[in-house]
Amino acid sequence: MTTHHDTSWAPETEPAAPAPITPADVADAARLVSFGLQAKLLPARDAEYAELVRRHREDPPFARLADAVATGMGLVVLEVSPRAGMAVAAAEDSVFAVRMGDYSRRAASESTDRFLHGLAHLAVAAMAFPRPDDLADDGYLGRITVNGVDAFVRQACRRLEEQAAADGDNTDPQSGAPGLEAAWRVWARRTATGATKDARRLSGSTIGIVAKAVLFLVDSGFLQKVSDDSGGTYRTTARYQLQVRDLAGSAAMAELLDLGIVPVSDGSASLLPPDTGDDLVADAGLPFHSL
């Protein structure tokens, strides 16, 4: 006699339990985060880094572990990819945070100059990625020059001055309240270069301020120097693009965009053409697309 087995009563196969996390996994995850903190290092230049990035992309449990290690260190993971490595940004309460206030206090002794240093960083970001499509395109390389950034800000200052004159507003910033708008006005009154006795440009000149901001971005792995043309020509990195994407939602960038100098609402750039005024430094063109 043939016996028929009712398979409906067969016990269900339980899913395999996830592999336990080992000390070696934790060490690898921490190693990946440590690579991410080395701003100038890319996976293409380090085989171990490249392998850990590959593992993060292909092994979800390892990815969650590495992300958790980063979170525990006060870091926000922006992207993990072969082009950017593990790109991280420091949360405000992280020991790795470099606050703009701390940077500007080291760079300048006067409170007004601190606003100018912040403005320089905003202007570099706006010129490097003037359109939403530029930020969205992973293959886009922005290009800025030191002289070009200063020229851009000065043209923006002139536009603000014209608007204020047309509206009959007082063009002097309120005392004790040097906000972003006031910083643009102070920038217009500051010398572009100046010079010391040995012909070096003054660190407090506007071009000196831009140069200091750019060097900070180079040291942070956000820009790479291309040449000495126009006070220094630089191209953006994938890490900087990710940072500016995050910055685009900040109040400071929103206030800059509200000035109407680099509107991004319609996806088109509106950088002004090079000014031929006598008060601009030589080679102050505004290249930012080709490289």
Side-chain angles (χ1 to χ4, degrees):
M1 184 176 70
T2 303
T3 302
H4 298 282
H5 296 283
D6 188 353
T7 57
S8 63
W9 292 96
E12 296 182 359
T13 303
E14 295 184 0
I21 296 174
T22 67
D25 293 328
V26 176
D28 285 345
R31 181 68 170 159
L32 176 57
V33 175
S34 73
F35 279 129
L37 288 170
Q38 300 177 56
K40 296 183 179 181
L41 182 63
L42 294 175
R45 300 174 183 172
D46 189 288
E48 182 184 3
Y49 192 5
E51 172 59 25
L52 290 174
V53 167
R54 182 203 62 77
R55 185 178 175 188
H56 185 283
R57 293 166 64 84
E58 299 177 2
D59 184 350
F62 177 74
R64 289 192 294 270
L65 177 61
D67 292 352
V69 170
T71 300
M73 297 172 67
L75 299 170
V76 178
V77 179
L78 301 176
E79 179 177 297
V80 180
S81 66
R83 77 180 187 113
M86 182 175 228
V88 295
E92 290 186 5
D93 58 349
S94 173
V95 68
F96 298 103
V98 179
R99 296 173 176 80
M100 181 56 67
D102 297 336
Y103 158 78
S104 61
R105 277 192 291 273
R106 292 196 301 267
S109 58
E110 297 294 332
S111 60
T112 303
D113 282 8
R114 296 171 192 168
F115 281 90
L116 298 185
H117 280 276
L119 178 56
H121 278 273
L122 287 174
V124 169
M127 284 196 65
F129 304 101
R131 302 167 302 188
D133 287 349
D134 302 333
L135 280 177
D137 181 1
D138 289 345
Y140 180 84
L141 287 177
R143 182 181 181 181
I144 63 99
T145 70
V146 170
N147 292 354
V149 171
D150 180 59
F152 163 58
V153 177
R154 288 185 176 276
Q155 291 175 59
C157 291
R158 275 190 282 274
R159 176 172 292 185
L160 287 173
E161 184 178 3
E162 292 169 358
Q163 291 176 352
D167 296 338
D169 295 336
N170 182 7
T171 58
D172 289 328
Q174 296 179 2
S175 177
L180 181 59
E181 184 179 357
W184 287 76
R185 291 169 173 170
V186 173
W187 190 290
R189 298 171 183 172
R190 186 69 60 90
T191 178
T193 54
T196 60
K197 293 181 179 179
D198 56 0
R200 291 176 300 166
R201 67 188 173 205
L202 291 172
S203 61
S205 67
T206 55
I207 286 184
I209 289 172
V210 173
K212 192 169 294 185
V214 165
L215 289 178
F216 173 82
L217 293 173
V218 170
D219 290 341
S220 301
F222 296 149
L223 296 177
Q224 295 176 340
K225 189 170 185 178
V226 176
S227 72
D228 292 323
D229 296 340
S230 298
T233 299
Y234 301 82
R235 64 183 176 190
T236 60
T237 65
R239 185 179 292 261
Y240 189 45
Q241 186 181 49
L242 294 170
Q243 289 283 347
V244 176
R245 283 177 187 171
D246 191 52
L247 173 67
S250 71
M253 180 61 83
E255 188 175 353
L256 170 62
L257 298 178
D258 285 344
L259 292 174
I261 307 302
V262 191
V264 296
S265 58
D266 63 354
S268 62
S270 67
L271 293 179
L272 302 175
D275 196 303
T276 57
D278 294 336
D279 56 336
L280 293 182
V281 297
D283 301 319
L286 306 176
F288 57 92
H289 281 295
S290 61
L291 192 61

